[in-house]
Amino acid sequence: MSQSKHTEARELMCSGALLFFSHGQVRSGPIPLSAWGLRVGKGASRERHDGRLSSSRLHGCACVGVLGALPARVSILQAVPLRGPRASARLTSLTGNWSSRPALPSLLKASQTSGSVIPNHFCVLQQNSAADLSMLVLESLEKAEVEVATDLLENLAKLFSLMDPNSPERVAFVSRALKWSSGGSGKLGHPRLHQLLALTLWKEQNYCESRYHFLHSADGEGCAHMLVEYSTSRGFRSEVDMFVAQAVLQFLCLKNKSSASVVFTTYTQKHPSIESGPPFVQPLLNFIWFLLLAVDGGKLTVFTVLCEQYQPSLRRDPMYNEYLDRIGQLFFGVPPKQTSSYGGLLGNLLSSLMGASEQEGEDSQDDSSPIELD
């Protein structure tokens, strides 16, 4: 399929998905075709199977109007007849097997028989149909090898925000969208897309998943504001310091020092239960403040003493030392922890003979294994 045809099909599917989403939970009775953006036109350009637009005119066909949610450039939507015996075949030529989905025959049947309304049962299929179209939009982006652009990321985030939060299709969609946005680099997705997803999940009060996406974005300030709301609405007052401590340590594990600093500063300034500082009343906040200063300095001795002095606070969460092991490797040149190739009693015996037990305290701050940022 040519690049232009991919673009036309993608715009059509994106518009259709937005249309289904926009009416999926608003109406419960028969829906006029005008409410779906459908109108009867005197003529429309017909798409030939070779992918080019011809100038022949078709009379009396229902044409999909351009949605207000999309720019006027989506003019191809005005040229797709949804009425007549060849309607299904014509949509198949643009969108593959989309016309075989259960929702489209209902729409075609309604437009061909009554020409005015869509039956009640069609409303039930709108969410599924919109999710199918959203996946086809991604498929088009992948097959056409379209370069990542801001407007495309925003469109994908819009589709995500309109999906049912509990639908399995949403999980598949976001996973595939992030993979495409990484550009095949093997990374975890484009930071801008992560930011948009995080904002959507924040509005839904899904704080855990929102925090995950904020961590992979460059929006430290937005992450801090979300954490303040998360802490005040769901957390204990005694744990106000732990919310930001975890986020800072995870940002540092991702080598995002600037966002770690921003999220700490913003959180401590905006949280109503934290007195102005530094220094702070909470020892853990003082540790994070000193840690950020130590990361800037890069001195291993400062980092080591800091971790030793604040062990009582660091024991509040067993993951803190795991994060600090990784931070020691990334910013202070701590070598990865060596693990014995022998297991069980033999491994312990060899380790003791080689003096590994004496080095255990020093090696405890180093770990080359990846850290789970949940």
Side-chain angles (χ1 to χ4, degrees):
M1 185 183 291
S2 65
Q3 182 71 29
S4 60
K5 194 172 182 181
H6 264 293
T7 302
E8 293 170 352
R10 184 169 61 253
E11 290 172 343
L12 168 66
M13 292 182 290
C14 186
S15 298
L18 289 171
L19 184 61
F20 287 146
F21 280 133
S22 63
H23 291 277
Q25 298 178 346
V26 176
R27 299 174 181 269
S28 59
I31 306 174
L33 289 180
S34 59
W36 288 84
L38 300 177
R39 57 187 175 85
V40 176
K42 290 297 184 182
S45 298
R46 181 169 54 187
E47 175 82 18
R48 295 214 305 254
H49 288 289
D50 60 4
R52 293 175 296 178
L53 290 172
S54 66
S55 59
S56 61
R57 313 295 288 178
L58 299 175
H59 298 281
C61 66
C63 302
V64 180
V66 180
L67 296 179
L70 290 179
R73 61 183 176 82
V74 196
S75 57
I76 184 63
L77 301 182
Q78 296 176 339
V80 181
L82 292 180
R83 197 172 180 182
R86 294 184 56 80
S88 179
R90 285 176 42 70
L91 280 174
T92 302
S93 70
L94 277 177
T95 63
N97 293 324
W98 178 61
S99 59
S100 65
R101 308 294 169 122
L104 184 60
S106 300
L107 177 58
L108 291 175
K109 182 178 180 180
S111 63
Q112 290 166 357
T113 56
S114 66
S116 59
V117 298
I118 296 175
N120 289 334
H121 73 272
F122 184 70
C123 303
V124 180
L125 301 173
Q126 290 171 29
Q127 271 285 335
N128 290 337
S129 299
D132 286 345
L133 285 171
S134 299
M135 295 300 292
L136 288 173
V137 170
L138 280 174
E139 183 178 336
S140 173
L141 291 171
E142 294 165 349
K143 289 185 176 180
E145 298 181 353
V146 179
E147 293 185 1
V148 177
T150 301
D151 60 333
L152 293 176
L153 296 177
E154 291 175 350
N155 284 341
L156 293 177
K158 179 65 174 178
L159 293 174
F160 172 82
S161 68
L162 295 172
M163 288 183 178
D164 180 1
N166 298 318
S167 67
E169 292 84 0
R170 197 189 207 197
V171 177
F173 176 81
V174 70
S175 176
R176 194 167 175 179
L178 288 170
K179 183 178 180 180
W180 170 79
S181 70
S182 66
S185 62
K187 297 181 180 179
L188 297 175
H190 197 282
R192 174 59 176 164
L193 181 57
H194 275 294
Q195 181 190 26
L196 295 171
L197 296 175
L199 293 172
T200 295
L201 292 164
W202 179 11
K203 292 179 181 178
E204 298 172 357
Q205 297 185 338
N206 188 342
Y207 299 112
C208 290
E209 290 191 25
S210 176
R211 182 173 60 83
Y212 169 82
H213 289 290
F214 269 124
L215 285 172
H216 295 285
S217 72
D219 188 5
E221 184 176 358
C223 181
H225 286 288
M226 184 277 296
L227 289 174
V228 170
E229 182 179 312
Y230 188 13
S231 171
T232 54
S233 62
R234 304 282 178 86
F236 295 103
R237 185 181 177 86
S238 60
E239 296 178 346
V240 294
D241 51 348
M242 299 182 72
F243 280 84
V244 69
Q246 183 185 44
V248 170
L249 294 174
Q250 291 178 342
F251 269 122
L252 291 176
C253 287
L254 295 170
K255 301 179 69 173
N256 192 344
K257 185 168 59 174
S258 61
S259 293
S261 180
V262 170
V263 73
F264 178 74
T265 303
T266 306
Y267 182 90
T268 54
Q269 289 176 350
K270 300 297 183 181
H271 201 292
S273 299
I274 296 179
E275 298 180 5
S276 61
F280 300 95
V281 175
Q282 298 88 346
L284 185 58
L285 293 181
N286 288 324
F287 169 78
I288 296 297
W289 174 49
F290 285 127
L291 176 63
L292 291 171
L293 295 176
V295 166
D296 288 333
K299 293 183 179 180
L300 178 58
T301 54
V302 176
F303 175 71
T304 303
V305 171
L306 186 61
C307 292
E308 290 176 352
Q309 294 297 317
Y310 280 92
Q311 273 303 308
S313 295
L314 297 177
R315 292 193 190 101
R316 295 172 64 190
D317 188 333
M319 284 301 299
Y320 286 164
N321 283 321
E322 295 288 334
Y323 297 142
L324 291 170
D325 287 343
R326 182 61 177 163
I327 292 169
Q329 297 172 36
L330 294 174
F331 297 100
F332 300 98
V334 178
K337 183 190 300 182
Q338 298 296 322
T339 57
S340 174
S341 59
Y342 301 95
L345 180 61
L346 178 60
N348 293 335
L349 177 61
L350 291 176
S351 296
S352 62
L353 291 175
M354 296 172 63
S357 59
E358 298 177 1
Q359 303 295 327
E360 191 171 297
E362 298 178 9
D363 292 340
S364 65
Q365 298 182 34
D366 178 51
D367 184 13
S368 59
S369 61
I371 301 294
E372 292 291 337
L373 302 180
D374 295 334

